[in-house]
Amino acid sequence: QICRRIYYPPYNRITKQLSFTMSTTEAQDPIKSETTPANDASVVKSRKDRPTGSTHFGDADWDEERPDEIGDATWGEVAKACCVHDAKEWGKIFVGACAALFFLYFFLVSLELMGSAAKVLGGCKAGGLMSDDTNPVAGLVIGELATALIQSSSTTTSIIVSLVGAEAISVNTGIYLVMGANIGTSVTNTIVSMGQMGDGAQLERAFAGATVHDIFNLLSVAILFPLEIISHYLYHLTKAMLPDNVKDGEAWSGPIKKIVSPLSDKILKSNKDVIKDIATGKVESCDTYYPVLCLDGIEDYKHCASKCDKDAGEEVGVDCGRVGLITCDKDSGECPGFFQNGASLNDDYISGGVCLVLSLFLLFVCLMALVNVLQRGLAGMSTRI
């Protein structure tokens, strides 16, 4: 359809448009006609005034063009329309690209922040859901609920992997939990689609895209789940893929997370160890981690979040600090803005709730701004697709 919308209609239509647009004054004074060409974008506001009969964004008769009036274009004309611009137009394209990248970055930051806030609000309950005493269907539902609570399938999966590695749950149970996490992550895209509530047509398309994602995940699990129950093919496949030796502490962090985490961690950083310890039965509840304690009142990773070496006889409050659902960043050594020495469980819940509202607001603003920037950047032929 791009090719059908650009610039040049058939030759007979051009001739007709030329004869239609030439006024009596232009016919009597050809010199004046040359000084004010019909295709001057600053003057022409109608496709009928252009020799080519092309439709431009902002024309007065933008919506009057009929399908039978649309002419074909060559690939050369498409390339010229897309790539041939003057310095001013290239400058606008550059500014638009920078604006799109800016809003895209903070959109990803808001998603990361929303995930961290959800982990703070639902981490204790999500950890209590995971155990090895479950049948396949219960494991599927538990994985779904845990992911919906913390709004992060990657976090749920990493916790499940840690539980399997610690032999707190079996590999078979872990497979069913991961399948449930694959369904639970569908909640996030539905929330994101709600960011288009200001425009009914855009909301319809966004919600449709989210639904496609949901159906894909549901159909995948609907096919693979019974096959796994019958044959345990995933268990045998993963067992065959397992290397002979695995080093402790091996982990992989995605490139997007490396880009957005430095900023989101300055606002809020969740403590995954709390969820894992509750799931393994190491602690009974989140109350064990409160109140938050930092040595000498200094808020940094060394004085607050460093772990005690129990084999060496270290004690909390004397040799090391204690953190709850909100922790400090080990790489930078800094604590996030919503971290507070002496905080209670309710204080962390309040911080998580504030960050959740803040992330949703930032998410909607960045999403609307990103759509607006892209619409302006593609104004013209692409807006008619």
Side-chain angles (χ1 to χ4, degrees):
Q1 291 191 15
I2 294 177
C3 296
R4 291 176 58 83
R5 290 287 182 183
I6 303 180
Y7 298 111
Y8 299 107
Y11 175 79
N12 58 355
R13 182 187 165 194
I14 296 176
T15 305
K16 185 184 295 185
Q17 292 293 345
L18 282 171
S19 62
F20 178 83
T21 57
M22 182 174 292
S23 64
T24 306
T25 304
E26 291 173 340
Q28 295 176 355
D29 190 358
I31 298 178
K32 182 178 180 181
S33 177
E34 291 178 1
T35 57
T36 57
N39 60 353
D40 188 354
S42 62
V43 177
V44 178
K45 292 298 182 182
S46 172
R47 61 187 175 87
K48 298 178 181 179
D49 298 332
R50 297 187 180 90
T52 59
S54 60
T55 301
H56 292 195
F57 183 74
D59 286 351
D61 53 355
W62 171 259
D63 296 322
E64 296 178 4
E65 186 178 30
R66 297 191 304 270
D68 56 352
E69 295 178 338
I70 301 173
D72 295 331
T74 65
W75 283 110
E77 292 163 354
V78 174
K80 182 178 180 180
C82 295
C83 304
V84 179
H85 305 282
D86 56 24
K88 184 178 180 180
E89 291 173 342
W90 280 118
K92 291 181 178 179
I93 293 173
F94 177 76
V95 173
C98 292
L101 291 175
F102 174 82
F103 289 115
L104 177 61
Y105 176 77
F106 280 96
F107 173 77
L108 296 174
V109 170
S110 63
L111 285 178
E112 181 72 16
L113 183 61
M114 183 176 67
S116 298
K119 294 169 197 172
V120 172
L121 292 173
C124 295
K125 295 180 180 179
L129 289 173
M130 299 181 187
S131 65
D132 196 33
D133 188 19
T134 55
N135 59 56
V137 177
L140 187 72
V141 175
I142 289 172
E144 179 181 351
L145 291 176
T147 305
L149 283 172
I150 62 180
Q151 284 295 298
S152 176
S153 60
S154 60
T155 299
T156 304
T157 304
S158 63
I159 293 172
I160 294 170
V161 171
S162 301
L163 295 177
V164 173
E167 298 183 353
I169 61 176
S170 64
V171 176
N172 285 324
T173 301
I175 291 174
Y176 303 132
L177 291 172
V178 170
M179 286 186 177
N182 197 40
I183 299 176
T185 190
S186 301
V187 177
T188 304
N189 58 61
T190 304
I191 295 175
V192 173
S193 68
M194 294 295 105
Q196 301 292 331
M197 292 180 65
D199 190 311
Q202 292 183 4
L203 174 62
E204 183 179 357
R205 291 193 295 268
F207 197 81
T211 304
V212 170
H213 178 269
D214 298 344
I215 296 300
F216 176 81
N217 287 350
L218 289 171
L219 290 178
S220 299
V221 174
I223 295 173
L224 300 180
F225 181 67
L227 292 177
E228 174 63 20
I229 294 178
I230 297 171
S231 63
H232 297 290
Y233 76 100
L234 283 176
Y235 171 77
H236 296 295
L237 181 60
T238 53
K239 186 176 181 180
M241 294 171 60
L242 185 67
D244 296 332
N245 296 315
V246 180
K247 296 180 181 179
D248 293 336
E250 288 185 343
W252 181 84
S253 180
I256 299 298
K257 191 174 183 65
K258 290 182 180 180
I259 295 174
V260 301
S261 291
L263 179 58
S264 63
D265 288 347
K266 291 183 179 296
I267 303 173
L268 184 72
K269 184 176 177 63
S270 61
N271 187 5
K272 298 179 182 179
D273 291 339
V274 174
I275 306 175
K276 183 172 65 176
D277 291 345
I278 293 176
T280 56
K282 186 176 180 180
V283 296
E284 294 182 357
S285 67
C286 285
D287 295 331
T288 307
Y289 296 92
Y290 292 93
V292 174
L293 179 62
C294 295
L295 298 178
D296 301 326
I298 302 174
E299 295 184 359
D300 60 13
Y301 180 84
K302 181 179 180 181
H303 292 83
C304 299
S306 59
K307 296 181 179 180
C308 292
D309 187 358
K310 295 183 179 180
D311 296 336
E314 294 182 351
E315 298 181 2
V316 176
V318 179
D319 303 299
C320 60
R322 178 175 58 204
V323 293
L325 290 167
I326 302 176
T327 186
C328 302
D329 187 13
K330 183 177 181 180
D331 296 331
S332 64
E334 299 177 353
C335 294
F338 282 88
F339 180 87
Q340 182 182 1
N341 182 26
S344 63
L345 179 60
N346 289 332
D347 292 333
D348 279 358
Y349 280 155
I350 294 173
S351 298
V354 171
C355 287
L356 182 62
V357 174
L358 178 64
S359 64
L360 289 174
F361 174 77
L362 183 62
L363 180 73
F364 294 154
V365 170
C366 290
L367 187 59
M368 290 187 291
L370 184 61
V371 171
N372 185 269
V373 169
L374 292 177
Q375 284 180 340
R376 290 178 179 272
L378 298 176
M381 57 184 177
S382 299
T383 58
R384 301 296 301 274
I385 299 176

